[in-house]
């Protein structure tokens, strides 16, 4: 039976999922049951990864089940956690790389959950192929199981082919490249089809069906062979196995089609197909015998061919057609790559079932932002109306003008305002808050600058190493990876700049009103002395205008109290959009957050918006009436400079009180803003620190791998030196001293000492050479040397070796070498080594022989290979 191909597993480095995921959970969810369950789920996920990837897996369905559960969990958790921000780096080795003598292998580290999913799915396909290859194909259950897992493996590799580039956003390692996994998918599909051929044969199905199945399997193997021809990273035995499988399946198809021809009494076609099958089997046997066993198939075909020929020769005498004239065999496919649809495991339960997807979390964040905008808009419009009301009343000196009819006492409203300012801390509290603002601002700036500096330093180092190693520095550039963080940092910087401008506005308002605020903080007697006195206006105390103004001011106070109640109601409105967002995501696959949130806000805040608008219109009407009444009141008052000065001071005091309240609220809000921003910036700093640490760890691993790779590289390009140019020193003992050789180049040769003179070459014609006496048998060599070889029948040059010479290998000296000397037009230089007999001498006249003779009693010169 032919060998079935299985794929090796990828190996992964250990990754700690607990720390970064727990950090995210604790920072995202408030303490409580939900946070506790999420932290427990993080621990279970880490254990599941160790079980799936941290130990050798048996070739059993239980091991595959663990891999499937981990893959399903990754798919389920991907939309729920922001893995791009968690900086989890996954390192995987190439499945087909065997490393080297110095260790190390091709591996890739990426901070991408898509990369982790791709590699886990590769292991799903690899382990499925291994389980299928271990099945017993002699029984029906084993055949069904093998076909099932081969189709699963094919589907896994096909899914990787379609998704790997988008999942990684960079060039993957060779084992998970689209070309490689596409080839693996085709191989697995071919083997699944072959299993169905075996099952059809075992079930003794009709020959027509088996022939179509086998022909389809041969076609699949042919496609796999074509795809595999240029895949240098696949094991070397894959290609011959595919070629042998193609021959075997084609031969099987021809065998069963020949049986069908026999049934149709087409005996010539039967013989032609069996002959073709025989040729295919011979090809598989002669070329791929070490990879496949085709003896059973060969014997079956041989027996059928012998019987068919015998019957045709003695009985039918049907003409045997050419193979090219035979009708093509049909094809029938019973296999299909299993579609990868989660969950793959039937026992899968989501560990993070109660955690909402990131799309819902982002929609919730956007909805909360819209809600905050709505609340701020309503409350802001009411507070703006209150400030407008206070400003108008202060400009009219109301209600102080109605209380100051005596002209010398401090109005009651001014005394109440003074007491309110003193109770809230007076000038000292505001000055202290204003003094603290620059310190809070500076602290936030330092945190932000330090965070961005970490990114800058790491990016600078990454760019330097990228410039040094060029394409070898094959990791995501830091500049691309840090774009979201830099955008977030720029947003924080803009927020700080706007906060500085707001602080400046508050300080200017404080400077403008600080004198009157200080006056409000003084005791009543000092306050009364500071306010100018005026002529009494007691005649106005019982006038109708005064009564109307007081009634209008009372109505205005009621409007202001109504706004305070309304502001509390607006703040207390709460609602949760989670259920609606989850429903929309489940039904449509996407969330139209703006439409859903706007509709909900209109429902929740519609009535409040109407009440706010009615309140503002009511205030506007009252202010118009108060202004008209005040004009009548002012006309009745006796106008003089003292009264005007007094009224001006009272207006400033009322305005100072309103400004104090507003400035105090603004500064407190600013202080709270800076403190809240500090916590956010600290989280941002931790995020930057985590990703920089992960990048440094990844950088160190990549540097180590590159150093090992560089150490394995040769220091100079390799090239082959012809053996006759090798200047190998002579052996110390055990053989004759070889003649010297020179390395000839196209450059001018250096002057060398001339060797001793040698006798001239004999002038011998080819005819004389052909009639020369035979050479006497040379002395037998020692057991450590090669046996002698008879001299050639015609003159030859020295042999040209296809590899470099090595110590102990010497070229046989020749009297005439047309290759080494003639092409450079160099004269022959005779040579006689010290202590060596003259070599070669002219042969005696009575035995003309054109070749050199070995010195007597010495070892012959032959290549010591």
């Amino acid at each position: 039976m032919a060998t079935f191909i299985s794929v090796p597993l990828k190996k992964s480095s250990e990754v700690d999922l607990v720390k970064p995921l727990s950090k995210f959970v604790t920072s995202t969810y408030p303490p409580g049951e939900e946070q506790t369950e999420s932290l427990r789920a993080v621990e279970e996920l880490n254990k599941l990864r160790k079980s799936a990837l941290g130990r050798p897996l048996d070739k059993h369905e239980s091991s595959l089940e663990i891999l499937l559960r981990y893959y399903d969990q990754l798919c389920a958790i991907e939309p729920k956690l922001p893995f791009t921000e968690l900086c989890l780096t996954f390192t995987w080795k190439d499945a087909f790389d065997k490393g080297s003598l110095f260790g190390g292998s091709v591996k890739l580290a990426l901070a991408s959950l898509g990369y982790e999913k791709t590699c886990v799915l590769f292991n799903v396909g690899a382990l499925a192929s291994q389980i299928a290859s271990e099945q017993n194909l002699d029984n029906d259950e084993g055949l069904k199981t093998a076909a099932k897992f081969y189709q699963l493996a094919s589907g896994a590799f096909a899914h990787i082919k379609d998704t790997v580039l988008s999942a990684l956003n960079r060039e993957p390692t060779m084992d998970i490249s689209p070309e490689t996994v596409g080839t693996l998918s085709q191989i697995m599909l071919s083997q699944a089809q072959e299993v169905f051929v075996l099952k059809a044969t075992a079930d003794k199905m009709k020959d027509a069906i088996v022939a179509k199945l086998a022909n389809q399997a041969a076609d699949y193997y042919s496609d796999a062979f074509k795809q595999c021809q240029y895949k240098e990273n696949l094991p070397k035995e894959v290609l011959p196995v595919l070629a042998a499988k193609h021959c075997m399946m084609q031969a099987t198809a021809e065998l069963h089609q020949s049986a069908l021809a026999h049934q149709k009494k087409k005996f010539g076609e039967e013989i032609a197909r069996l002959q073709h099958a025989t040729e295919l089997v011979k090809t598989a046997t002669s070329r791929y015998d070490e990879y496949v066993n085709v003896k059973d198939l060969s014997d079956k075909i041989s027996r059928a061919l012998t019987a068919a020929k015998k019957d045709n020769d003695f009985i039918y005498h049907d003409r045997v057609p050419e193979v090219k004239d035979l009708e093509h065999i049909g094809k029938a496919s019973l296999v299909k790559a299993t579609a990868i649809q989660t969950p793959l495991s039937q026992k899968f339960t989501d560990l993070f079932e109660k955690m909402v997807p990131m799309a819902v979390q982002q929609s919730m964040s956007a909805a909360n932002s819209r809600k905050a905008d709505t609340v701020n808009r309503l409350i802001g419009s009411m507070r703006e109306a209150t400030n407008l009301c206070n400003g108008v009343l202060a400009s009219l000196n109301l209600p102080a003008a109605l209380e100051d009819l005596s002209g010398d006492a401090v109005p009651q409203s001014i005394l109440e305002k003074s007491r309110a300012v003193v109770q809230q801390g007076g000038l000292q509290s505001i000055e202290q808050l204003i003094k603290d603002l620059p310190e809070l601002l500076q602290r936030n700036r330092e945190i932000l600058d330090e965070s961005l500096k970490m990114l800058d330093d790491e990016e600078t180092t990454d760019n330097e190493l990228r410039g040094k190693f060029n394409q070898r520095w094959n990791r995501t550039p830091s500049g691309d990876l840090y774009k979201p963080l830099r955008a977030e940092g720029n947003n924080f910087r803009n927020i700080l700049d706007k906060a500085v401008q707001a602080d400046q506005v508050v300080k200017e308002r404080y400077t403008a009103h600080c004198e009157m605020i200080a006056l409000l903080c003084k005791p009543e007697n000092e306050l009364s002395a500071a306010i100018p006195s005026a002529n009494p206006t007691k005649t106005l105390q019982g006038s109708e205008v005064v009564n109307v103004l007081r009634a209008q001011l009372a109505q205005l106070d009621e409007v202001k109290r109504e706004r305070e109640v309304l502001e509390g109601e607006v703040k207390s409105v709460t609602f949760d959009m989670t259920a609606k967002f989850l429903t929309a995501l489940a039904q449509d696959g996407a969330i139209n957050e703006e439409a859903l949130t706007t509709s909900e806000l209109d429902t929740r805040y519609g009535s409040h918006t109407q009440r706010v608008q009615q309140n503002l219109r009511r205030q506007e009407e009252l202010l118009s009436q108060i202004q008209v009444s005040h004009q009548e009141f002012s006309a009745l008052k006796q106008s003089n400079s003292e009264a005007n000065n007094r009224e001006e001071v009272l207006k400033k005091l009322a305005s100072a009180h309103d400004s104090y309240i507003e400035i105090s609220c603004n500064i407190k809000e600013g202080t709270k803003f800076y403190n809240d921003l500090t916590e956010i910036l600290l989280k941002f700093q931790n995020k930057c620190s985590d990703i920089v640490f992960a990048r440094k760890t990844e950088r160190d691993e990549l540097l180590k791998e590159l150093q090992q790779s560089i150490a394995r590289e040769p220091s100079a390009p390799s090239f082959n030196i012809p053996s006759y140019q090798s200047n190998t020193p002579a052996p110390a003992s055990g053989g004759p001293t070889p003649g010297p050789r020179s390395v000839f180049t196209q450059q001018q040769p250096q002057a060398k000492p001339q060797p001793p003179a040698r006798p001239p070459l004999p002038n011998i014609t080819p005819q004389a050479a052909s009639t020369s006496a035979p050479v006497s048998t040379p002395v037998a060599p020692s057991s450590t040397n090669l046996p002698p070889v008879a001299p050639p029948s015609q003159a030859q040059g020295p042999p040209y070796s296809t590899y470099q010479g090595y110590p102990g290998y010497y070229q046989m000296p020749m009297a005439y070498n047309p290759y080494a000397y003639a092409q450079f037009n160099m004269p022959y230089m005779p040579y006689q080594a010290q202590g060596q007999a003259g070599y070669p001498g002219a042969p005696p006249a009575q035995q003309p022989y054109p070749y050199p003779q070995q010195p007597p009693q010495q070892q012959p010169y032959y290549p010591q290979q």
Side-chain angles (χ1 to χ4, degrees):
M1 181 179 293
T3 304
F4 282 86
I5 298 171
S6 60
V7 182
L9 296 171
K10 288 175 70 68
K11 294 182 180 179
S12 174
S13 301
E14 185 177 353
V15 178
D16 181 18
L17 300 177
V18 175
K19 183 179 178 182
L21 295 184
S22 299
K23 201 172 188 180
F24 169 79
V25 170
T26 53
S27 63
T28 304
Y29 299 95
E33 183 180 355
E34 185 177 3
Q35 185 188 100
T36 303
E37 290 183 2
S38 298
L39 292 175
R40 190 181 302 114
V42 168
E43 295 283 352
E44 292 298 324
L45 177 64
N46 195 55
K47 293 178 182 178
L48 182 58
R49 188 183 194 276
K50 288 183 177 180
S51 299
L53 307 176
R55 61 184 180 86
L57 296 177
D58 298 330
K59 298 177 183 179
H60 192 270
E61 294 184 39
S62 59
S63 299
L64 181 62
E65 179 67 25
I66 297 175
L67 270 178
L68 294 177
R69 282 178 53 209
Y70 180 56
Y71 179 78
D72 289 337
Q73 187 59 69
L74 291 178
C75 294
I77 201 177
E78 184 176 18
K80 298 182 179 182
L81 295 175
F83 279 90
T84 54
E85 301 176 7
L86 295 177
C87 307
L88 274 170
T89 301
F90 300 99
T91 304
W92 288 81
K93 295 180 180 179
D94 191 308
F96 301 110
D97 186 78
K98 305 300 182 184
S100 68
L101 179 63
F102 299 95
S105 61
V106 177
K107 61 182 178 180
L108 179 63
L110 287 180
S112 167
L113 186 67
Y115 178 52
E116 174 85 346
K117 285 172 53 183
T118 298
C119 295
V120 173
L121 187 58
F122 182 94
N123 276 6
V124 168
L127 187 57
S129 71
Q130 295 177 14
I131 294 174
S133 300
E134 291 292 318
Q135 298 302 310
N136 181 9
L137 303 183
D138 294 332
N139 59 68
D140 190 67
E141 187 64 29
L143 290 169
K144 290 181 180 179
T145 303
K148 168 188 170 184
F149 284 117
Y150 278 135
Q151 291 176 89
L152 174 60
S154 179
F157 294 132
H159 187 78
I160 295 174
K161 177 186 177 182
D162 297 335
T163 60
V164 62
L165 295 181
S166 59
L168 270 63
N169 292 321
R170 57 151 296 154
E171 191 69 21
T173 50
M174 285 297 295
D175 57 341
I176 58 174
S177 64
E179 297 80 8
T180 301
V181 291
T183 302
L184 294 177
S185 176
Q186 185 63 37
I187 293 174
M188 297 300 116
L189 201 65
S190 305
Q191 296 186 152
Q193 181 75 10
E194 182 183 354
V195 170
F196 275 107
V197 173
L198 298 176
K199 187 177 188 309
T201 305
D203 294 344
K204 298 181 180 180
M205 299 183 71
K206 294 181 180 179
D207 291 308
I209 296 176
V210 178
K212 291 179 180 180
L213 293 175
N215 194 36
Q216 181 66 73
D219 193 50
Y220 281 155
Y221 276 119
S222 177
D223 292 342
F225 180 84
K226 293 174 184 176
Q227 295 180 28
C228 193
Q229 279 183 304
Y230 305 104
K231 304 296 185 299
E232 298 180 356
N233 60 314
L234 294 178
K236 62 181 181 179
E237 63 269 11
V238 171
L239 202 61
V241 168
L242 295 178
K245 291 288 195 75
H246 169 73
C247 293
M248 291 177 61
M249 288 295 101
Q250 191 65 50
T252 303
E254 295 288 356
L255 173 63
H256 287 275
Q257 193 69 18
S258 70
L260 186 63
H262 181 82
Q263 296 170 12
K264 296 180 179 180
K265 301 187 181 303
K266 297 179 180 179
F267 304 107
E269 178 184 344
E270 176 188 11
I271 294 174
R273 292 193 180 279
L274 289 173
Q275 288 175 344
H276 186 208
T278 302
E279 293 174 0
L280 291 169
V281 170
K282 286 182 178 179
T283 301
T285 304
S286 60
R287 297 183 182 179
Y288 317 114
D289 187 51
E290 61 178 306
Y291 301 103
V292 295
N293 180 12
V294 294
K295 186 176 184 304
D296 294 339
L297 179 61
S298 177
D299 293 344
K300 192 173 182 180
I301 294 172
S302 178
R303 290 194 299 268
L305 179 59
T306 301
K309 281 185 175 181
K310 181 178 179 181
D311 291 345
N312 192 54
D313 290 343
F314 286 96
I315 303 174
Y316 307 115
H317 305 288
D318 196 5
R319 186 183 66 86
V320 179
E322 296 289 336
V323 175
K324 62 181 180 180
D325 297 330
L326 294 175
E327 182 181 354
H328 291 291
I329 304 174
K331 299 175 183 177
S333 177
L334 293 182
V335 296
K336 183 180 179 182
T338 303
I340 301 301
Q341 295 178 347
T342 54
L344 294 174
S345 171
Q346 298 178 354
K347 302 178 181 179
F348 170 70
T349 54
D350 188 3
L351 297 174
F352 299 84
E353 184 176 5
K354 294 185 178 180
M355 184 181 291
V356 297
M358 284 300 299
V360 176
Q361 295 181 30
Q362 293 170 356
S363 298
M364 286 294 300
S365 177
N368 291 334
S369 178
R370 294 182 190 278
K371 175 187 174 183
D373 292 341
T374 301
V375 172
N376 291 337
R377 177 174 52 80
L378 292 174
I379 294 177
S381 62
M382 290 188 289
R383 289 184 178 179
E384 185 178 354
T386 301
N387 293 335
L388 175 63
C389 176
N390 293 336
V392 171
L393 294 179
S395 66
L396 300 177
N397 193 27
L398 293 175
L402 298 178
E403 298 168 355
D404 191 36
L405 298 179
S406 62
D408 52 1
V410 180
Q412 185 62 30
S413 61
I414 297 298
L415 291 176
E416 292 176 357
K417 288 179 173 58
S418 175
R419 286 193 290 270
V421 170
V422 172
Q423 287 176 359
Q424 294 188 25
L427 278 179
Q428 290 79 6
S429 63
I430 290 186
E431 288 177 350
Q432 184 61 41
L433 290 174
I434 292 177
K435 183 180 179 181
D436 293 340
L437 286 180
E439 297 180 3
L440 298 175
L441 172 66
Q442 183 62 26
R443 180 179 63 183
N444 287 332
R445 284 192 184 279
E446 290 175 354
I447 295 173
L448 180 59
D449 292 341
E450 181 63 28
S451 302
L452 295 178
K453 184 177 182 297
M454 287 191 292
L455 300 182
D456 293 337
D457 293 344
E458 201 284 326
E459 183 175 352
T460 301
T461 304
D462 182 70
N463 292 335
E464 291 175 354
L465 292 172
R466 190 175 304 280
K468 180 178 180 181
F469 294 104
N470 297 325
Q471 295 181 351
R472 291 186 175 186
W473 197 251
N474 56 353
R475 70 170 186 168
T476 306
S478 296
D480 297 342
L481 194 62
Y482 295 158
K483 283 181 180 179
L485 290 174
R486 292 196 181 279
E488 192 174 355
N490 291 334
N491 184 39
F492 287 137
R493 196 173 295 282
N494 293 334
I495 291 174
L496 287 175
D497 293 340
K498 291 180 180 179
V500 170
Q501 297 175 3
D503 294 345
Q504 187 61 32
V505 172
V506 172
K507 289 179 182 178
E508 291 175 357
R509 291 191 62 184
Y510 170 74
T511 303
H513 296 281
C514 65
E515 184 179 353
M516 288 297 154
I517 294 174
L519 185 58
L520 284 174
C521 295
K522 292 183 178 181
E524 182 178 351
N525 57 344
E526 296 183 16
L527 180 62
S528 176
I531 300 175
S533 60
N535 293 328
T537 56
K538 294 182 179 181
T539 55
L540 296 175
Q541 289 183 357
S543 66
E544 184 179 355
V545 175
V546 173
N547 294 332
V548 170
L549 267 176
R550 285 177 176 171
Q552 291 172 343
L553 290 176
Q555 293 177 8
L556 189 61
D557 288 340
E558 182 65 25
V559 170
K560 291 166 68 175
R561 285 193 294 273
E562 182 183 343
R563 273 203 300 269
E564 292 177 357
V565 174
L566 192 55
E567 180 177 336
E569 292 179 0
V570 170
K571 289 181 178 179
S572 63
V573 174
T574 58
F575 60 93
D576 190 2
M577 295 290 294
T578 304
K580 291 189 175 182
F581 288 154
L582 286 172
T583 303
L585 184 62
Q587 293 178 351
D588 305 331
I591 301 175
N592 188 348
E593 178 272 327
E594 183 177 0
L596 293 173
T597 304
T598 302
S599 175
E600 186 69 18
L601 290 176
D602 291 342
T603 303
R604 299 284 182 172
Y605 291 101
S607 60
H608 295 87
T609 302
Q610 294 178 0
R611 290 171 59 189
V612 169
Q613 292 175 351
Q614 292 174 0
N615 183 277
L616 297 183
R617 287 196 295 269
R618 177 61 178 158
Q619 175 179 291
E620 186 177 355
E621 294 172 357
L622 286 173
L623 286 177
S624 298
Q625 296 173 5
I626 288 172
Q627 287 176 339
V628 173
S629 299
H630 183 267
Q631 289 178 357
E632 297 178 4
F633 174 77
S634 298
L636 295 175
K637 290 179 64 176
Q638 297 179 1
S639 299
N640 54 55
S641 58
E642 293 180 355
N644 292 337
N645 291 337
R646 180 179 177 84
E647 186 171 351
E648 189 66 27
V649 171
L650 292 177
K651 289 180 182 179
K652 289 183 178 178
L653 288 174
S655 178
H657 167 266
D658 296 338
S659 297
Y660 177 85
I661 299 299
E662 185 177 357
I663 291 171
S664 179
C665 290
N666 290 339
I667 294 178
K668 288 178 181 178
E669 288 178 357
T671 303
K672 182 177 183 301
F673 163 77
Y674 283 126
N675 288 330
D676 293 343
L677 185 61
T678 299
E679 295 182 6
I680 296 174
L681 287 176
L682 287 174
K683 292 180 180 179
F684 176 73
Q685 186 182 38
N686 290 335
K687 190 188 301 183
C688 294
S689 176
D690 290 343
I691 192 171
V692 167
F693 178 77
R695 293 286 286 179
K696 286 182 178 178
T697 304
E698 180 185 357
R699 180 188 67 197
D700 294 342
E701 291 180 358
L702 186 55
L703 273 175
K704 181 180 179 181
E705 182 179 348
L706 285 175
Q707 289 170 356
Q708 293 177 347
S709 175
I710 292 173
R712 294 194 294 266
E713 291 180 354
S715 57
S718 59
F719 54 90
N720 293 328
I721 302 176
S723 59
Y724 62 86
Q725 294 183 1
S726 175
N727 293 325
T728 309
S733 61
T737 304
R741 288 184 294 273
S742 300
V743 178
F744 295 102
T745 65
Q746 298 297 329
Q747 301 176 356
Q748 184 69 23
Q750 298 180 358
K752 294 184 179 180
Q754 295 293 332
R758 297 181 63 177
L761 289 171
N763 187 10
I764 301 174
T765 62
Q767 291 81 1
S770 62
T771 58
S772 59
V775 182
S776 59
T777 303
V779 180
S782 63
S783 61
T784 59
N785 295 325
L786 293 173
V789 180
S793 60
Q794 58 181 356
Q796 294 182 352
Y800 283 86
S801 175
T802 59
Y803 56 92
Q804 299 181 14
Y806 54 90
Y809 174 85
Y810 301 103
Q811 200 68 31
M812 184 173 70
M814 291 291 181
Y816 175 65
N817 188 342
Y819 301 96
Y821 296 97
Q823 69 183 52
F824 296 100
N825 296 322
M826 295 292 291
Y828 178 81
M829 296 181 182
Y831 175 79
Q832 179 176 352
Q834 184 175 0
Q836 179 180 348
Y839 176 85
Q846 65 275 14
Q847 291 184 352
Y849 189 72
Y851 300 101
Q853 300 301 305
Q854 302 292 340
Q857 305 301 326
Q858 291 194 8
Q859 299 295 337
Y861 287 85
Y862 297 110
Q864 302 297 312
Q865 298 188 18

